[in-house]
Amino acid sequence: MQLHFLGTGAGMPSKERNTSALMVKLLDEIGEMWLFDCGEATQHQILHSSLKPRKVTKIFITHLHGDHIFGLPGFLSSRSFQGGDEPLTIFGPAGLQQWVEQTFTLSKTHLTYPLQFVEVQEGVIYEDAHFTVRAGELRHVVPCFGYRIEQKDLPGELLMEKVQALGVPKGPLLGQFKKGNDVELENGTIIKATDVVASPKKGFTLTILGDTKYCEEAVLLAEHADIVIHEATFDGDTVGLAANYGHSTNVEAAMVASRANVKFLLLNHLSARFLPHDLPIFLAQAQEIFPQTVLTSDQMVFTWSNDELL
Ligand SMILES: [Zn+2]
Ligand SMILES: [Zn+2]
């Protein structure tokens, strides 16, 4: 799994940071990419990367503020031009479907692929053989959701040395072990699947929060996650503003990560008020509360591999 940050700014684009968008690359897992929020010019950010819009099968929108959705009609439309014919599903709050469809009707935009909308409510909003996605409502000035993506446990590997040592012939019997079935050899020996298959590998949990002030709901969504992505629009000097505008500070985000016992905290949605030379202090303030904090910037890519964030 890879995280490609396309926009890490707050409110409006700046020269340093575009508005919100994050690509979650699940190419090794399921051959798909999922996009979280789609601020204005997200497709321009994609042009500066190797990401392929036709690989995006799902878009999750946290809330209807412009800095999270104004890039959506353009992205959807260009996906048609780029030969996208795979269906696409958009998950988001009530009103999103109406906004997109109205925009397409008035601009006479026609897509070459089926587009489906799912109106998000709290609880499980998507599940397949590999992933469960849960939504929880946060505390912002408009309805806003956070998403918790849980990868299901991966089947354990077949331990070939053990299989060979026990004299199991190559062929269909090996497939039986992978299904969890015990196998009887021609000489009558019974070999248990549990003896030749490693224990299942735990899947990852990734929590992506939308705009929010400090709240219990964020802690719940992030509980024991491997990675939580939390907004940090303000800092300790502007804590009053944060609460008034439904946002969090760097320190509040770190408190959520610490209380939820997550492994890594990635901060995004930074206000343009913070200039590059402010960022080391901004980061240090969060790390005082939660040491495994990382500041994101546009076009930053992280790889999750063997329980490590690279
Ligand atoms: Zn925002
Ligand atoms: Zn917002």
Side-chain angles (χ1 to χ4, degrees):
M1 186 266 290
Q2 283 191 315
L3 300 169
H4 189 136
F5 285 84
L6 292 164
T8 57
M12 59 182 183
S14 69
K15 283 182 188 164
E16 276 79 31
R17 295 175 188 275
N18 199 44
T19 48
S20 290
L22 164 64
M23 196 72 86
V24 177
K25 296 173 77 177
L26 302 169
L27 296 172
D28 288 344
E29 290 82 3
I30 51 172
E32 295 179 21
M33 300 199 294
W34 294 358
L35 178 63
F36 286 77
D37 282 337
C38 191
E40 186 183 342
T42 292
Q43 59 172 327
H44 296 241
Q45 296 291 81
I46 289 175
L47 286 175
H48 294 291
S49 74
S50 58
L51 301 168
K52 300 276 177 288
R54 66 188 150 80
K55 291 271 184 191
V56 177
T57 55
K58 292 177 182 54
I59 300 177
F60 297 84
I61 298 293
T62 59
H63 65 300
L64 300 188
H65 275 157
D67 59 320
H68 297 256
I69 62 167
F70 280 174
L72 196 49
F75 172 84
L76 296 173
S77 167
S78 297
R79 188 177 181 270
S80 274
F81 285 113
Q82 289 150 352
D85 48 15
E86 294 291 311
L88 191 145
T89 306
I90 303 180
F91 299 79
L96 182 64
Q97 178 171 6
Q98 185 192 0
W99 179 71
V100 172
E101 288 182 349
Q102 192 82 330
T103 305
F104 284 168
T105 302
L106 293 171
S107 61
K108 304 219 182 309
T109 300
H110 300 284
L111 302 181
T112 55
Y113 54 87
L115 182 64
Q116 201 198 340
F117 287 87
V118 175
E119 191 177 302
V120 170
Q121 315 274 351
E122 284 203 299
V124 174
I125 55 161
Y126 176 74
E127 183 159 21
D128 63 19
H130 306 280
F131 292 99
T132 305
V133 183
R134 234 173 275 277
E137 195 166 350
L138 301 166
R139 302 271 189 94
H140 194 38
V141 291
V142 297
C144 181
F145 291 93
Y147 296 107
R148 179 183 173 97
I149 303 114
E150 290 175 11
Q151 184 186 31
K152 294 183 181 176
D153 287 351
L154 302 160
E157 284 173 61
L158 188 59
L159 305 168
M160 284 312 287
E161 325 83 70
K162 285 201 177 177
V163 167
Q164 280 163 2
L166 290 164
V168 183
K170 283 186 179 162
L173 291 183
L174 300 184
Q176 290 299 320
F177 288 134
K178 285 185 187 166
K179 287 180 191 161
N181 298 332
D182 298 341
V183 158
E184 185 174 354
L185 300 185
E186 274 183 13
N187 63 11
T189 313
I190 292 177
I191 297 174
K192 288 185 172 173
T194 47
D195 290 340
V196 292
V197 177
S199 38
K201 196 168 164 277
K202 196 146 174 33
F204 65 80
T205 298
L206 165 67
T207 297
I208 299 173
L209 300 170
D211 293 4
T212 187
K213 62 178 171 182
Y214 181 70
C215 66
E216 291 306 308
E217 291 82 351
V219 179
L220 279 175
L221 274 172
E223 209 154 46
H224 294 112
D226 293 299
I227 303 168
V228 61
I229 297 162
H230 198 303
E231 69 129 291
T233 316
F234 294 99
D235 67 358
D237 294 337
T238 45
V239 65
L241 288 177
N244 285 345
Y245 291 108
H247 286 295
S248 300
T249 67
N250 51 349
V251 168
E252 287 170 330
M255 280 160 62
V256 167
S258 166
R259 288 186 52 208
N261 281 307
V262 307
K263 289 195 185 125
F264 293 95
L265 166 65
L266 304 186
L267 297 179
N268 68 353
H269 204 273
L270 271 65
S271 164
R273 79 176 65 230
F274 302 115
L275 301 173
H277 67 260
D278 298 322
L279 295 180
I281 293 172
F282 187 89
L283 175 62
Q285 288 169 344
Q287 284 177 333
E288 239 174 76
I289 311 285
F290 188 76
Q292 299 284 33
T293 304
V294 181
L295 274 189
T296 64
S297 58
D298 291 13
Q299 304 296 357
M300 232 176 177
V301 179
F302 297 88
T303 302
W304 180 250
S305 173
N306 292 323
D307 286 354
E308 281 301 321
L309 192 63
L310 310 169

